[in-house]
Amino acid sequence: NIIFAFFFVQSVFGRIKVVNLGFGILVLILGLFICFGFSFGFAALALRWKESMNLATNFLQFFFMIVCAMAFPFSALPEPILVISKLIPLSYAVDLFRTTMIGVEPELLPVEHELLIITFSAIMLPILGLLYFRRVVKISKKVGTLAEY
């Protein structure tokens, strides 16, 4: 999807100058691990909340797209939303990926700080998400609700 989006944007807006492809790919991979961590957590919530999680997932997906400024700069966010944005590790991955690829300074924090947050989150969120998922599966097996959803 990312490769398709890159070529789509390039076909609409013209040639995109990529400044640091190697570092950008590293940040992208770390960002994907952050997404995996959130996904494990969402999967656990889906087992607990059953059908109600469908609406929550759609809301959270939209929320993350807006708050993490995936389609526009962070400077376009109102101050209260920017505060929320700075609490979500995925925001730093989006910021560092975007700025690395086009060769400008990050909007949220200096590169070193964003990389530290992203790396820590890419390690911890999948571990915590998987542990939570396994716990919910174990509880669901114990009470007999695992096969319901």
Side-chain angles (χ1 to χ4, degrees), residues 80-139:
I81 300 206
L82 186 59
V83 170
I84 295 168
S85 180
K86 290 179 178 181
L87 297 174
I88 301 171
L90 188 57
S91 298
Y92 299 101
V94 169
D95 187 34
L96 192 57
F97 177 74
R98 179 171 42 224
T99 58
T100 296
M101 295 301 279
I102 61 176
V104 296
E105 289 298 312
E107 294 182 81
L108 300 177
L109 290 174
V111 172
E112 301 80 22
H113 297 150
E114 286 193 349
L115 185 59
L116 184 65
I117 291 169
I118 294 166
T119 303
F120 179 77
S121 299
I123 294 168
M124 293 307 297
L125 286 176
I127 292 170
L128 294 173
L130 185 59
L131 289 173
Y132 180 57
F133 179 76
R134 287 182 173 176
R135 181 172 165 251
V136 169
V137 167
K138 186 176 181 179
I139 292 169

Side-chain angles (χ1 to χ4, degrees), residues 57-71:
T57 300
N58 290 333
F59 170 78
L60 288 170
Q61 182 179 12
F62 182 73
F63 174 80
F64 276 106
M65 286 177 60
I66 298 298
V67 174
C68 294
M70 292 185 182

Side-chain angles (χ1 to χ4, degrees), residues 19 25-26 33-34 36 39 52 57 62 70 72 76 79 97 100-101 107 110 112 118 120-121 126 141 145:
V19 175
I25 290 172
L26 172 67
F33 276 97
I34 293 170
F36 294 152
S39 298
S52 343
T57 300
F62 182 73
M70 292 185 182
F72 46 83
E79 188 61 33
F97 177 74
T100 296
M101 295 301 279
E107 294 182 81
E112 301 80 22
I118 294 166
F120 179 77
S121 299
K141 283 180 181 178
T145 60

